[in-house]
Amino acid sequence: MTKNIQTMLQTLTLEEKAMLCIGKDVWHLHGIEHLDMPSIMMTDGPHGLRKQVGEGDHVGLNDAVPATCFPTGPGLAASWNTTLIEKMGVALGKECRAQGVSVLLGPGANIKRNPLGGRNFEYFSEDPLLAGDIAAAWIKGVQSQGVGASLKHYAVNNHEHCRMTVDVIIDQRTLREIYLPAFEKAVTTTQPWTVMCSYNKVNGTFAAENKILLDDILVKDWGFKGIVVTDWGANNNRVEGIKHGQHLEMPGSGDLNTKKIIAAIENGQLTTQELDKSVARILELILKAKTSLNEEKVTVDLNAHHKLAASIAQESCVLLKNENFLPISIDKKIAVIGELANNTRYQGAGSSKINPFTVEQPLDEIKKIFGRDNVSYTAGYHINDMEDAAEQKRAMTLAEQADVVFLFVGLTPKYESEGFDRQHLDLPQVQLDLINALENQLSKTVVVLQNGAPITLPFVDEVPAILEAYLGGQAGASAIAKILSGEVNPSGKLAETFPLALEDVPSQPYFPGTTKQVQYRESIWVGYRYFDTTKTKVLFPFGHGLSYTTFDYSNVRLSGDTLQGQSAQLGRHNLIKVSVTITNTGDRAGAEVVQCYVGQATPSQPRPKKELKAFKKVFLAAGESQVIELELDYRAFAYWNSEQSVWLAESNDYTISLGSSVEDIRDAVIVTLKTDTPLAPANTALKTYFEPAKRDFHDEAFIALLGHSIPQEIPLTPYHLNSTIGEIANTSLGKPLFDSMLAIFNTMMGAGANDSAAEASRLMAQALVVDMPLRNLPVFNPQYYTEAQIVQIINALNELENKQKDKQ
């Protein structure tokens, strides 16, 4: 704590200290006038600035100022280009500075446990190394402009169903190896100004007051120096939050929790030292923000940012399939089919929804390149899923008359959004019907996908080319057109696995769990770690992405064939350096992502066959060669030992694989590791986890993994402050409350219109209301409810429940 901060603390009253720990309103922190400490602003979002106009609503989902909408998380990760992502961060930071925003709420680094996760379109990857490196680059860029980042959502927030109250039951090894490393990498390498804790419980305790997550791991293990801010409405017990490392509650809750903090100090439940610890960090945040706010205002060139968004979108597109069909000559007669070509889906729905200052349409960009006279268009289907036989027939006619068909399909907002999870991996039925109707023309059809997460493609074998464009931001359309024509050579690689079927996903039997609990029984077997180890066939593997050129791997060399180290030596020393020569053997410039995987020969614990431990993207002219060097330290070979709470690498042989995807391995070498940890016998208690293909993760196996019994779910009754509005909606007292809150949210989110976007808003509004805990009613709607009134309602509900039980 600096001397300046100590002096400030001495001049603050107890009331001012309590006030600083709670937001002023939806987006602002309190300032302290007599200390010349301004009220600073936080705002969304991960792929663009979403600064609300005016005072904002209580959920923060209304109109925002125009800004640059960059590609969303999956596309950013598919670029595998940290240098480019850092440039995006710089642009985001500049736009924040221009708008007087001090903290930008992003990036989202949560792991994609299951492809149905409702916010997968915001997150980077199923792999923690890739997610961490992309997040770190994003943060570095933003904070280089004197604007803070807010790394989120910490932690294990991997689905939307009952996200505000669900208890995630997870073992420590899985937590440390899969769900925390992306956060760890970002924290230890960039020191984000803030970390946003998630809504859910983790092993019985809300993330907002979880000492293990917030104090033991984040601060003591990783050395985090910033503040922990709640996700909007994630605070459960304000006093317990302060005691265990939650510094700032957002949004503002008026004097509701300020009074509780003051009372806790007065009755000894909270010490002055504990409160000062939080206040000091908040003051440090405001001081950092004040420096930038006092500097000359930044002028932003939004047109330049649009060009940057276009270059990122170009590297975000993944060429999934190409049977020597693409690129297409510009003299061909093109039929563009699909409403998404003229009403493009370029971002997700919910709190990350940007108001772009301009948006390209694929149809327009295709006409620019191929010529208006060579391009015909029809919708073929409607985004609102309305059946239209006449439109489908027009599509068939255009396809018959064309040399090539560009068919645009994907997920519309009602299929993926914040607030609710997807129900299946399929495309909308009207789109599948159109594809079936075009059966005779599929041999000349390029399918262009616009979606934020994996989908199944039953027609994959019938078309010669498939381009995954993801949600490419405001400039994604020109990227698509330039790739289709060959003006740009695609270089994106999947940061997630596309499974053949939902039932192939190991977490599916436990996803999303019940309303009160979700068990991560699949353990470390997430994404490619499972599919590759079990040799389960997939639609497209992790790391996959084609190019219009070819690359050769040769001369793989190691700096040594052994690595000796202690279990405590986790720093960047005693490295094994892996070098490989990459040659562009084609006739055009292109980029390759060199992926380095490590696998242990005979581990004592269940371990994947391959784990990504390093990567590098290299750009090469036709015929050019370059030597790429990658570094592997002790941690690259280690697993988390829960009994000793330490990373351990056993003395054993390890295979280092280099390839273009997890399945496309070009060369592999074996290294012998000699450490102070001898190879132990296989842990027989975890036998079923050594055999993940059987997916027999029964109670006894899960108990062995956890190291304790499986916690019982909290019963729905008696009702309490963390009961949700959905849980009481069918009661006589709860239904009027549910109906009134739903009406408020529908109005607030503009769900009254009759289009696909409004339908998504209605679905999101309903999900938010259903999952909202009763404790949040006085926070989001203080004009209607006080905490005392909510307690009265709860007591009345329990009385009615008891009376009904007595009658039975």
Side-chain angles (χ1 to χ4, degrees):
M1 190 185 302
T2 65
K3 186 175 181 180
N4 191 23
I5 296 295
Q6 288 178 327
T7 302
M8 287 184 180
L9 286 172
Q10 293 170 1
T11 63
L12 291 171
T13 65
L14 174 58
E15 288 75 13
E16 287 173 330
K17 290 178 181 179
M19 181 180 70
L20 280 169
C21 294
I22 295 165
K24 178 182 179 181
D25 53 31
V26 178
W27 299 117
H28 296 85
L29 279 67
H30 285 282
I32 302 294
E33 188 174 347
H34 66 83
L35 292 178
D36 192 27
M37 297 289 274
S39 168
I40 66 172
M41 185 177 193
M42 298 178 160
T43 196
D44 290 317
H47 60 278
L49 172 66
R50 197 182 70 82
K51 179 184 176 182
Q52 272 193 270
V53 178
E55 295 183 1
D57 59 78
H58 284 281
V59 180
L61 295 175
N62 283 344
D63 290 339
V65 299
T68 308
C69 180
F70 291 94
T72 65
L76 299 180
S79 77
W80 294 65
N81 189 335
T82 55
T83 301
L84 196 58
I85 303 308
E86 186 176 337
K87 289 180 181 178
M88 171 182 157
V90 170
L92 290 172
K94 287 180 179 179
E95 293 193 25
C96 287
R97 287 282 299 277
Q99 291 290 339
V101 171
S102 296
V103 177
L104 186 61
L105 304 178
N110 294 84
I111 293 300
K112 300 182 181 186
R113 176 187 179 224
N114 186 292
L116 296 183
R119 285 183 97 165
N120 281 354
F121 66 86
E122 286 187 50
Y123 298 140
F124 296 129
S125 179
E126 66 189 31
D127 181 79
L129 175 78
L130 179 56
D133 281 357
I134 297 293
W138 192 102
I139 295 167
K140 185 178 179 182
V142 169
Q143 295 193 167
S144 72
Q145 301 305 300
V147 173
S150 191
L151 180 64
K152 63 183 189 179
H153 303 90
Y154 183 72
V156 282
N157 180 196
N158 306 109
H159 68 264
E160 295 298 278
H161 176 67
C162 294
R163 62 177 176 165
M164 290 187 130
T165 53
V166 72
D167 189 6
V168 176
I169 308 301
I170 185 171
D171 68 284
Q172 290 303 306
R173 184 185 165 203
T174 300
L175 185 66
R176 289 281 194 163
E177 288 191 22
I178 304 296
Y179 296 98
L180 293 189
F183 292 96
E184 178 184 7
K185 181 66 174 289
V187 167
T188 57
T189 59
T190 69
Q191 280 294 339
W193 289 12
T194 79
V195 167
M196 183 189 294
C197 66
S198 55
Y199 289 116
N200 50 284
K201 292 180 180 179
V202 180
N203 290 326
T205 304
F206 279 101
E209 56 200 50
N210 194 305
K211 181 181 182 299
I212 294 174
L213 286 177
L214 303 185
D215 191 30
D216 296 348
I217 296 176
L218 185 59
V219 174
K220 293 175 182 174
D221 286 3
W222 301 346
F224 178 60
K225 294 177 171 47
I227 74 161
V228 171
V229 57
T230 66
D231 200 344
W232 267 229
N235 178 71
N236 174 57
N237 183 311
R238 192 67 197 91
V239 174
E240 289 299 304
I242 289 176
K243 290 173 71 172
H244 297 309
Q246 179 230 115
H247 308 107
L248 176 65
E249 175 197 354
M250 290 297 285
S253 57
D255 62 1
L256 174 67
N257 285 325
T258 305
K259 291 178 178 178
K260 291 181 181 179
I261 293 171
I262 294 170
I265 291 287
E266 292 174 344
N267 64 28
Q269 186 183 357
L270 185 68
T271 68
T272 301
Q273 290 77 15
E274 289 171 326
L275 179 58
D276 283 355
K277 195 174 177 181
S278 278
V279 176
R281 291 200 173 212
I282 293 170
L283 291 173
E284 288 169 353
L285 172 69
I286 297 174
L287 278 177
K288 284 190 285 190
K290 180 181 175 182
T291 300
S292 298
L293 291 173
N294 287 343
E295 293 176 357
E296 186 177 345
K297 191 172 182 180
V298 171
T299 300
V300 173
D301 184 347
L302 290 179
N303 289 320
H305 287 184
H306 182 76
K307 291 179 181 178
L308 175 61
S311 65
I312 296 173
Q314 289 166 16
E315 292 195 37
S316 297
C317 291
V318 182
L319 185 57
L320 296 177
K321 181 180 180 180
N322 187 25
E323 295 178 344
N324 296 315
F325 194 76
L326 291 174
I328 302 300
S329 173
I330 60 173
D331 60 357
K332 297 293 184 181
K333 187 175 181 182
I334 308 295
V336 178
I337 298 174
E339 188 178 343
L340 285 170
N342 200 35
N343 186 7
T344 187
R345 182 151 184 256
Y346 58 94
Q347 66 174 331
S351 62
S352 67
K353 190 175 181 180
I354 311 303
N355 179 19
F357 71 92
T358 185
V359 178
E360 300 172 349
Q361 293 295 338
L363 179 60
D364 295 335
E365 300 303 318
I366 289 169
K367 287 180 177 178
K368 286 179 185 177
I369 292 178
F370 291 89
R372 304 186 72 87
D373 293 339
N374 286 339
V375 177
S376 57
Y377 165 77
T378 194
Y381 61 82
H382 296 292
I383 287 179
N384 63 6
D385 290 350
M386 182 181 70
E387 297 286 348
D388 190 336
E391 186 57 50
Q392 192 177 102
K393 188 174 181 179
R394 279 192 290 272
M396 294 169 64
T397 300
L398 283 187
E400 289 172 359
Q401 297 170 349
D403 297 325
V404 178
V405 176
F406 293 159
L407 176 60
F408 284 75
V409 295
L411 299 177
T412 55
K414 77 173 189 178
Y415 290 94
E416 54 179 357
S417 168
E418 178 181 355
F420 57 87
D421 299 303
R422 294 165 64 194
Q423 299 302 306
H424 53 74
L425 294 182
D426 302 333
L427 286 168
Q429 189 58 49
V430 291
Q431 297 181 21
L432 293 173
D433 291 343
L434 172 64
I435 293 169
N436 289 333
L438 294 173
E439 180 181 7
N440 294 333
Q441 310 304 322
L442 293 182
S443 62
K444 62 179 180 182
T445 297
V446 180
V447 173
V448 180
L449 303 174
Q450 293 184 338
N451 46 289
I455 52 179
T456 52
L457 304 173
F459 49 85
V460 64
D461 294 329
E462 300 174 52
V463 295
I466 302 173
L467 180 66
E468 173 59 84
Y470 279 118
L471 306 181
Q474 66 184 50
S478 59
I480 293 170
K482 289 178 179 179
I483 288 173
L484 293 175
S485 68
E487 184 177 333
V488 168
N489 191 349
S491 63
K493 301 273 190 178
L494 291 179
E496 58 195 341
T497 305
F498 276 44
L500 275 173
L502 187 57
E503 53 265 29
D504 294 336
V505 178
S507 62
Q508 186 56 30
Y510 324 109
F511 183 92
T514 66
T515 59
K516 294 298 183 184
Q517 186 186 90
V518 55
Q519 299 175 3
Y520 281 41
R521 290 200 179 209
E522 73 281 359
S523 182
I524 61 170
W525 301 114
V526 177
Y528 74 86
R529 284 168 166 77
Y530 171 82
F531 294 113
D532 181 63
T533 301
T534 61
K535 296 182 172 59
T536 301
K537 289 185 178 181
V538 298
L539 186 59
F540 297 107
F542 176 85
H544 170 74
L546 303 176
S547 170
Y548 294 153
T549 189
T550 53
F551 300 94
D552 177 69
Y553 289 53
S554 61
N555 301 323
V556 177
R557 296 181 181 180
L558 301 180
S559 59
D561 59 0
T562 63
L563 176 64
Q564 296 181 345
Q566 301 281 324
S567 59
Q569 294 176 337
L570 306 182
R572 302 295 298 173
H573 60 275
N574 199 12
L575 303 170
I576 284 182
K577 295 183 179 180
V578 186
S579 65
V580 58
T581 301
I582 307 296
T583 302
N584 182 343
T585 53
D587 58 1
R588 66 170 69 206
E592 171 69 332
V593 177
V594 182
Q595 302 163 40
C596 180
Y597 298 88
V598 174
Q600 186 178 352
T602 55
S604 65
Q605 305 293 320
R607 298 196 71 175
K609 179 183 177 183
K610 301 189 196 86
E611 293 183 274
L612 183 71
K613 294 301 178 182
F615 66 89
K616 190 168 186 177
K617 190 167 191 175
V618 56
F619 295 81
L620 299 171
E624 182 184 2
S625 295
Q626 193 174 130
V627 177
I628 303 302
E629 188 173 85
L630 303 167
E631 296 180 341
L632 300 174
D633 65 1
Y634 180 95
R635 178 79 172 261
F637 301 88
Y639 75 94
W640 179 260
N641 185 291
S642 298
E643 293 180 358
Q644 299 180 47
S645 295
V646 68
W647 291 97
L648 291 181
E650 297 176 312
S651 295
N652 203 204
D653 288 341
Y654 294 79
T655 299
I656 298 173
S657 303
L658 295 173
S660 190
S661 81
V662 71
E663 286 189 1
D664 185 7
I665 299 301
R666 305 297 179 86
D667 208 341
V669 290
I670 294 175
V671 62
T672 300
L673 198 67
K674 296 179 181 178
T675 72
D676 61 345
T677 305
L679 182 62
N683 186 344
T684 56
L686 299 177
K687 181 178 183 296
T688 188
Y689 286 98
F690 278 99
E691 303 170 341
K694 296 181 179 179
R695 290 166 63 173
D696 185 22
F697 308 134
H698 50 74
D699 283 2
E700 291 77 10
F702 192 42
I703 289 169
L705 192 71
L706 292 171
H708 56 75
S709 60
I710 302 171
Q712 294 292 315
E713 289 187 40
I714 295 176
L716 295 181
T717 58
Y719 298 110
H720 46 81
L721 284 171
N722 277 314
S723 296
T724 65
I725 298 177
E727 290 168 357
I728 67 168
N730 292 325
T731 67
S732 58
L733 288 174
K735 189 176 186 310
L737 191 152
F738 173 83
D739 291 341
S740 64
M741 287 299 299
L742 186 59
I744 291 170
F745 272 61
N746 276 330
T747 300
M748 187 165 52
M749 296 174 65
N754 187 26
D755 55 33
S756 60
E759 185 173 2
S761 295
R762 286 192 290 272
L763 290 170
M764 183 177 174
Q766 181 167 338
L768 291 175
V769 172
V770 166
D771 290 347
M772 182 180 289
L774 297 177
R775 61 173 161 82
N776 272 352
L777 285 169
V779 176
F780 288 117
N781 298 91
Q783 69 272 39
Y784 299 116
Y785 305 103
T786 65
E787 188 171 76
Q789 289 173 326
I790 298 304
V791 171
Q792 286 180 338
I793 291 173
I794 291 170
N795 290 337
L797 285 166
N798 286 328
E799 286 180 13
L800 287 173
E801 180 73 13
N802 290 333
K803 288 179 180 178
Q804 290 175 353
K805 286 181 179 178
D806 290 341
K807 290 180 180 178
Q808 295 172 358

